[in-house]
Amino acid sequence: MSSFPELYFNVDNGYLEGLVRGFKAGVLRQGDYVNLVQCESLEASKVRPELQVTTPEGTDDFGVAELELRKQAESFGSFPPEARYDLKLHLQSTDYGNFLANEASPLTVSVIDDKLKEKMVVEFRHMRNHAYEPLASFLDFITAYCAEVGVEGVKIRVLVVSDFRKLYSYMIDNVILLITGTLHQRSISELVPKCHPLGSFEQMEAVNIAQTPAELYNAILVDTPLAAFFQDCISEQDLDEMNIEIIRNTLYKAYLESFYKFCKSLGGTTADAMCPILELSKEDRAKLFPHCGKLYPEGLAQLARADDYEQVKNVADYYPEYKLLFEGAGSNPGDKTLEDRFFEHEVKLNKLAFLNQFHFGVFYAFVKLKEQECRNIVWIAECIAQRHRTKIDNYIPIF
């Protein structure tokens, strides 16, 4: 790598960094959330008609046109309040625009969730399609591609298990979903729509054809990009309902370690921004812990022996950053959960990534902030749909 990579960063990556910072400017602000939580419904039962006006034939009397527009606008005041305080209408005033315009009534939370993901996927794939190495491989870690990484002619082994390969968070979730569905005899038509679009791959449906654990194991080895890792770390006997979370966490462990090593290999501001974010990730037991982060190795060893919440909290007390998260969490009404505290901390770290320029961390941070924004919108939509407004403010603010 060059001693001063910032000098050449914009040659291949300047356009995309400017683009992702533009996307970040469209992330919902606190004022947008204030409007959303005041909504009475997901969509108006009576929509405002299009304002149409014509001038007298053969004339250009725009005074007449303006008067007609005012009359039509005033007539909107007679519409019921819910026609002016719906979530769909308020989202149209943000960067989301008319992304729900073609959806049939009644609008549901699941449709909103799907369209939010679809918009994020379109933006991300646009950036991926225009990326050069090593940014292309960095983006691949977030989604699902498989290739060697070339940096100035040097091949980097991003995951040293037995070959050049990568593991990807969305793809892991999709494969685990397919495995779980297969073990419960669910149909492929029911499972595939639930998979995250950023983790899709061509052979997804082949996994669900399997009828037995042996057939499932062979299907994974043959038909998924995670095949090599499964072969090295998971046996056929592991594919049962009791081991699903162990399989998931084992995959995530290797994914986090490989992503961490890759960011370290890039060095510079990318490593400075990304490593603290990846260090926040956590798993359940010693063999599942990623070998990186502030807790490694002593803290992880202590966590592996913890049997309850208090013991985990005692371990966190030795690390000021995590101690604060536990101190702000509780189970009483009005308290924030520990998960929410970690989400807030993650949002803070991802926002910090945008304070520096000429690095790849902004791409990862943008995706994670958009994920949190989608969770916020879906949470608010669920509260509105279920008429359960007491907890509608329990979203994670971003800006």
Side-chain angles (χ1 to χ4, degrees):
M1 298 291 288
S2 170
S3 300
F4 301 97
E6 294 84 0
L7 296 177
Y8 309 99
F9 185 89
N10 283 342
V11 174
D12 291 332
N13 309 306
Y15 162 70
L16 290 181
E17 185 186 5
L19 184 65
V20 76
R21 289 181 182 275
F23 286 155
K24 173 251 185 182
V27 173
L28 298 184
R29 264 50 181 179
Q30 185 60 38
D32 297 313
Y33 287 115
V34 170
N35 291 331
L36 291 178
V37 299
Q38 294 176 354
C39 294
E40 300 292 337
S41 62
L42 298 183
E43 63 176 342
S45 57
K46 185 177 182 181
V47 297
R48 178 177 180 172
E50 291 293 330
L51 300 184
Q52 298 179 351
V53 64
T54 56
T55 57
E57 185 176 357
T59 70
D60 292 323
D61 192 347
F62 291 103
V64 174
E66 181 180 359
L67 180 61
E68 181 64 22
L69 283 173
R70 287 182 178 178
K71 288 181 180 179
Q72 293 186 33
E74 289 172 0
S75 68
F76 180 59
S78 61
F79 279 63
E82 62 268 19
R84 287 167 286 169
Y85 295 99
D86 64 275
L87 184 135
K88 178 180 177 180
L89 181 64
H90 277 299
L91 287 178
Q92 287 179 2
S93 65
T94 69
D95 271 24
Y96 283 101
N98 295 322
F99 79 121
L100 296 173
N102 297 325
E103 300 304 315
S105 295
L107 186 63
T108 63
V109 176
S110 61
V111 170
I112 295 175
D113 189 20
D114 290 341
K115 298 301 288 185
L116 289 171
K117 291 178 181 177
E118 181 181 316
K119 187 176 187 301
M120 184 177 75
V121 168
V122 170
E123 293 173 348
F124 184 89
R125 286 181 175 166
H126 175 78
M127 293 188 292
R128 174 58 185 85
N129 292 337
H130 289 81
Y132 293 94
E133 293 292 353
L135 176 58
S137 292
F138 182 90
L139 297 178
D140 290 346
F141 265 104
I142 307 175
T143 54
Y145 290 87
C146 192
E148 297 182 6
V149 183
V151 182
E152 296 186 359
V154 179
K155 295 294 183 180
I156 300 176
R157 291 177 179 266
V158 292
L159 176 59
V160 183
V161 178
S162 66
D163 199 357
F164 294 96
R165 57 186 177 272
K166 306 173 191 171
L167 299 175
Y168 308 89
S169 57
Y170 294 109
M171 186 181 294
I172 292 171
D173 289 337
N174 288 351
V175 170
I176 294 298
L177 175 63
L178 295 176
I179 292 174
T180 306
T182 300
L183 294 175
H184 287 84
Q185 305 298 317
R186 297 290 181 87
S187 66
I188 188 65
S189 59
E190 180 183 355
L191 295 174
V192 170
K194 297 180 180 180
C195 292
H196 198 289
L198 278 180
S200 62
F201 51 94
E202 294 180 359
Q203 306 90 346
M204 281 176 58
E205 298 189 8
V207 175
N208 200 253
I209 297 175
Q211 301 296 321
T212 66
E215 292 178 357
L216 176 61
Y217 186 70
N218 291 329
I220 293 172
L221 291 182
V222 173
D223 294 313
T224 75
L226 304 177
F229 182 75
F230 267 86
Q231 185 176 20
D232 288 341
C233 302
I234 297 173
S235 67
E236 177 184 324
Q237 289 71 31
D238 291 329
L239 292 181
D240 59 49
E241 187 175 356
M242 297 297 294
N243 289 326
I244 287 297
E245 286 305 311
I246 294 178
I247 295 173
R248 182 198 302 273
N249 291 336
T250 303
L251 292 170
Y252 267 116
K253 170 183 179 289
Y255 162 72
L256 288 172
E257 288 180 355
S258 61
F259 200 179
Y260 190 87
K261 291 177 183 177
F262 179 67
C263 293
K264 279 286 190 181
S265 70
L266 292 176
T269 309
T270 296
D272 294 340
M274 283 301 303
C275 290
I277 297 175
L278 296 177
E279 287 170 356
L280 183 64
S281 300
K282 54 195 182 302
E283 305 300 342
D284 293 328
R285 278 297 180 261
K287 73 170 186 175
L288 305 178
F289 288 132
H291 293 172
C292 58
K294 294 180 174 61
L295 297 179
Y296 177 76
E298 292 85 1
L300 299 185
Q302 295 179 51
L303 283 180
R305 295 190 294 268
D307 294 320
D308 55 40
Y309 177 86
E310 286 302 321
Q311 292 182 16
V312 174
K313 185 176 182 298
N314 290 337
V315 175
D317 286 343
Y318 291 100
Y319 301 87
E321 187 174 11
Y322 296 136
K323 181 180 180 180
L324 291 175
L325 300 182
F326 277 83
E327 289 178 347
S331 56
N332 298 321
D335 290 343
K336 293 185 178 180
T337 65
L338 181 60
E339 183 180 30
D340 286 341
R341 293 288 293 165
F342 270 96
F343 276 138
E344 288 179 344
H345 188 58
E346 184 181 33
V347 165
K348 175 184 175 182
L349 293 177
N350 286 317
K351 287 163 60 177
L352 290 176
F354 284 93
L355 297 183
N356 294 314
Q357 290 183 294
F358 312 125
H359 68 98
F360 296 160
V362 292
F363 298 94
Y364 181 88
F366 167 71
V367 171
K368 292 304 176 181
L369 291 178
K370 289 297 288 187
E371 281 183 347
Q372 185 59 58
E373 181 178 89
C374 292
R375 286 193 292 266
N376 289 344
I377 295 174
V378 170
W379 173 264
I380 294 172
E382 283 282 10
C383 291
I384 293 173
Q386 298 178 20
R387 304 292 181 185
H388 189 70
R389 305 188 66 86
T390 57
K391 295 185 177 181
I392 197 171
D393 293 315
N394 291 2
Y395 56 86
I396 308 297
I398 299 177
F399 293 108

